Amino acid sequence: MVGLPPYARRKKRISRTRQGGVEVNLREKTFLRLLLLTCLSFGVLFLLTLAHTQKTLYRLETQQAQESLDRLGRVLALRLENLDTTCADWAAWDATYAFMADGNERYRQENLMEETFTTLRLGYLLFVRPDGTLLYGKGFDRELDRPLPVPGTLRERLLPGGPLQDIPPGKSRRGLWVTPQGSYLVAARSILNSQFQGPSRGTLVMMRPLDASELRSISSEMGFPLSARPFSVGQPPVDFSFITSGFTSRTDTRLIVPVNDDTLSAYVLLKDLFGEVAVMAKVDLPRWIALQTRQTLLLHLLSILGAGILTVGCFLLGVERGILQRLRDLRDQVKRFDPNSPQAPSPCPGGDDEIAQLGRGVESLMEQARERGRSEQEQRDIMRQVLDQIRDMVLFCSLEGEVTFANEAFRRQVGGTRQQAAGRPIWNLVHPEDQETFREGLHRLLLGEPLEAPLSCRILTLRGPLRVAFLANLVRDRNGTPKEVALSARETDEGPRSLR
């Protein structure tokens, strides 16, 4: 057993007194008095806390419910944003732009099949002319797997002057839409060409049903049961009818109602894209705060009372001397580690316990890092020396298009030193008329599509434009992730060699 330090032995000698013939240690008396005072303090604290529990619980539960409703709003907004992104892809597309002009059958066969509705989870897809007439409209019931006609109630909202018409280019209209057929998430965009230029040939409207399947998906994402019903269409269902009177004014949009000791319901009124209250959503939340607060509070106080008195002092002293100080020393050694230094101070602490083993493991990793850094640098130097000797023009560029290395043959053609070549955008080396073709080829390569033939283009050399053929390959790291692009080039009469 480790003996007491000198100052503790001195304190132990001078702190003993005689009380009724019994030798009592001052530390023991302090501990007993502290224990009594702590018990009384925690008892009073517990009673005061318990007295204010109800008010605090209501505030916490209300805050939890408000956060859940805020999260519901963010989830709906994100789903509307995703739907709007899909709508934007379709609306700003040359094929859609041409379809609005001639209504060609090929576009319908290739894009407007039932698989489109299933994949995009759409209920209705509407192509509306600027005068409000419907060029093409189709509905689909995903649960029954059958097409649906476009009802007249939808056509009435598509007339000129409505919120789904005259949408500025680049803008969108999105939100909820409640119809007799159900509630929908809606996104609408002006139909333009692929360059987002007009004039607009109409409006594309995508409608995703807020049905049971969609509600289950949202509930799974939120982690709480969710239900939603139209607020003003038809008779409210039984589980919502009693709560309608709880919204005491036209400005009330949220209501928190305790259902029983186990459940708390949070209601929110959602407006549609026409600015009218359309949907009442309900989130059912467990009242775990109220159910566990009293027990947790008691257990927490008792744990602090017992564990804090019995262990904190000794634990902190032991941890400080046996662990924390040694870990601080290890941390300082690691901070001073330089992988490029041939010699580094050893971070290994003394002993044979877990901390010592950790130190030896860190030391081994540091040594491996130094060896790996030297090996990789040597390999890069050898590779560059070899590439400088071949007559093919070879260069490497990052995934963003910046040149990271150009060999001697390439530098002779375009001029400049190795340092001057590095960092230059590769597009500046290609003739302006060929840049688009070159970009498309590299883009296909980054997407994983094999290039059937070398990229033929002109590069700007000291002697003027030179037509070459590029062979491009992706360079991947040890995990298979694309790291950079390697390109080799020759004049087109010879063609490039394979670069591996």
Side-chain angles (χ1 to χ4, degrees):
M1 178 179 296
V2 179
L4 293 173
Y7 75 91
R9 288 196 295 268
R10 289 195 301 269
K11 183 177 180 181
K12 184 175 181 180
R13 285 195 301 268
I14 66 175
S15 63
R16 293 186 179 273
T17 61
R18 302 291 298 183
Q19 293 185 0
V22 179
E23 190 178 38
V24 179
N25 186 277
L26 181 60
R27 183 178 296 170
E28 294 172 355
K29 292 193 301 182
T30 304
F31 173 78
L32 292 175
R33 291 171 181 174
L34 179 62
L35 178 61
L36 179 61
L37 180 61
T38 304
C39 291
L40 293 176
S41 301
F42 274 78
V44 173
L45 178 62
F46 178 77
L47 293 177
L48 293 176
T49 305
L50 191 61
H52 295 279
T53 295
Q54 297 301 326
K55 182 178 180 180
T56 304
L57 287 179
Y58 180 77
R59 186 180 71 252
L60 293 176
E61 288 182 336
T62 302
Q63 180 180 354
Q64 178 197 15
Q66 295 287 359
E67 291 174 353
S68 298
L69 294 180
D70 291 340
R71 185 179 179 187
L72 172 61
R74 292 193 295 270
V75 171
L76 290 176
L78 180 60
R79 290 179 179 249
L80 282 172
E81 182 179 356
N82 293 338
L83 180 62
D84 180 62
T85 301
T86 303
C87 185
D89 292 340
W90 281 60
W93 185 19
D94 288 339
T96 304
Y97 197 73
F99 174 72
M100 294 300 295
D102 56 17
N104 61 86
E105 187 64 23
R106 179 180 178 183
Y107 182 90
R108 303 188 186 192
Q109 295 177 357
E110 294 180 354
N111 301 286
L112 304 180
M113 57 282 197
E114 295 181 354
E115 289 77 7
T116 300
F117 290 80
T118 303
T119 303
L120 301 180
R121 309 198 312 276
L122 297 179
Y124 288 97
L125 183 59
L126 310 175
F127 295 80
V128 188
R129 294 191 178 98
D131 60 0
T133 59
L134 190 64
L135 172 65
Y136 177 85
K138 183 178 179 180
F140 187 77
D141 190 328
R142 292 185 292 120
E143 294 185 357
L144 300 179
D145 195 24
R146 66 178 184 182
L148 297 174
V150 179
T153 54
L154 298 184
R155 299 174 184 265
E156 295 174 357
R157 291 287 193 174
L158 303 177
L159 297 177
L164 297 180
Q165 287 285 10
D166 302 325
I167 302 176
K171 303 295 183 180
S172 68
R173 300 280 170 76
R174 56 191 178 189
L176 293 170
W177 189 357
V178 176
T179 70
Q181 289 73 35
S183 302
Y184 295 85
L185 301 176
V186 180
R189 288 247 179 187
S190 292
I191 297 177
L192 308 170
N193 59 25
S194 298
Q195 287 74 38
F196 295 91
Q197 298 176 353
S200 172
R201 290 184 176 175
T203 305
L204 175 64
V205 182
M206 288 186 173
M207 303 175 61
R208 179 175 297 167
L210 195 61
D211 51 14
S213 175
E214 192 72 15
L215 290 176
R216 284 194 300 270
S217 175
I218 298 176
S219 298
S220 176
E221 184 174 348
M222 294 184 58
F224 300 111
L226 171 68
S227 55
R229 298 289 187 276
F231 184 71
S232 59
V233 178
Q235 183 68 23
V238 177
D239 59 335
F240 279 21
S241 59
F242 80 96
I243 206 64
T244 305
S245 59
F247 295 92
T248 56
S249 67
R250 297 179 61 87
T251 59
D252 289 338
T253 59
R254 293 184 176 186
L255 188 62
I256 313 300
V257 179
V259 179
N260 50 46
D261 293 336
D262 301 324
T263 305
L264 181 74
S265 294
Y267 298 82
V268 61
L269 298 181
L270 304 175
K271 292 185 178 181
D272 59 14
L273 53 82
F274 309 107
E276 303 172 353
V277 175
V279 174
M280 177 188 288
K282 181 182 74 169
V283 178
D284 293 325
L285 305 171
R287 300 187 67 181
W288 56 269
I289 298 179
L291 295 175
Q292 298 182 3
T293 296
R294 293 179 179 88
Q295 295 180 359
T296 303
L297 180 61
L298 178 60
L299 292 175
H300 182 64
L301 294 177
L302 292 177
S303 298
I304 294 177
L305 178 64
I309 294 175
L310 295 175
T311 63
V312 169
C314 296
F315 178 77
L316 290 178
L317 182 60
V319 168
E320 172 65 26
R321 294 188 174 184
I323 299 177
L324 295 182
Q325 185 59 47
R326 300 170 69 192
L327 287 179
R328 281 195 294 267
D329 296 339
L330 178 59
R331 178 201 60 189
D332 295 338
Q333 295 287 355
V334 173
K335 283 185 176 180
R336 293 193 293 269
F337 169 68
D338 182 9
N340 297 321
S341 175
Q343 295 181 352
S346 172
C348 181
D352 194 30
D353 54 11
E354 289 80 359
I355 297 181
Q357 296 174 7
L358 174 63
R360 287 191 287 272
V362 171
E363 182 180 16
S364 177
L365 292 176
M366 292 164 60
E367 183 61 31
Q368 293 177 15
R370 286 194 294 268
E371 291 295 331
R372 186 162 52 250
R374 289 194 294 266
S375 177
E376 291 178 354
Q377 183 63 39
E378 292 173 358
Q379 293 177 4
R380 285 194 295 267
D381 293 340
I382 294 174
M383 180 194 69
R384 292 182 177 183
Q385 292 176 7
V386 172
L387 293 179
D388 281 336
Q389 301 300 321
I390 64 177
R391 64 190 184 95
D392 283 353
M393 293 177 285
V394 179
L395 71 158
F396 289 78
C397 68
S398 65
L399 301 183
E400 290 76 22
E402 291 186 356
V403 175
T404 58
F405 170 76
N407 73 339
E408 181 66 25
F410 195 92
R411 296 197 300 272
R412 284 198 301 268
Q413 293 288 348
V414 301
T417 64
R418 177 179 299 175
Q419 290 74 15
Q420 293 172 341
R424 295 176 59 182
I426 192 173
W427 328 113
N428 295 348
L429 304 175
V430 181
H431 194 279
E433 296 179 1
D434 297 337
Q435 287 184 5
E436 188 64 26
T437 303
F438 189 75
R439 286 177 183 269
E440 291 178 358
L442 289 187
H443 182 66
R444 292 199 307 271
L445 179 67
L446 295 178
L447 292 178
E449 300 180 8
L451 300 180
E452 299 178 358
L455 298 174
S456 178
C457 63
R458 289 166 292 175
I459 62 173
L460 303 177
T461 68
L462 298 176
R463 297 175 298 171
L466 175 67
R467 181 166 293 278
V468 298
F470 278 102
L471 186 66
N473 288 286
L474 278 177
V475 180
R476 303 178 184 271
D477 59 16
R478 298 179 180 179
N479 299 323
T481 304
K483 181 180 178 183
E484 56 185 357
V485 181
L487 303 112
S488 65
R490 274 193 185 180
E491 298 182 21
T492 52
D493 58 345
E494 295 180 337
R497 295 177 180 175
S498 176
L499 181 63
R500 296 294 182 187

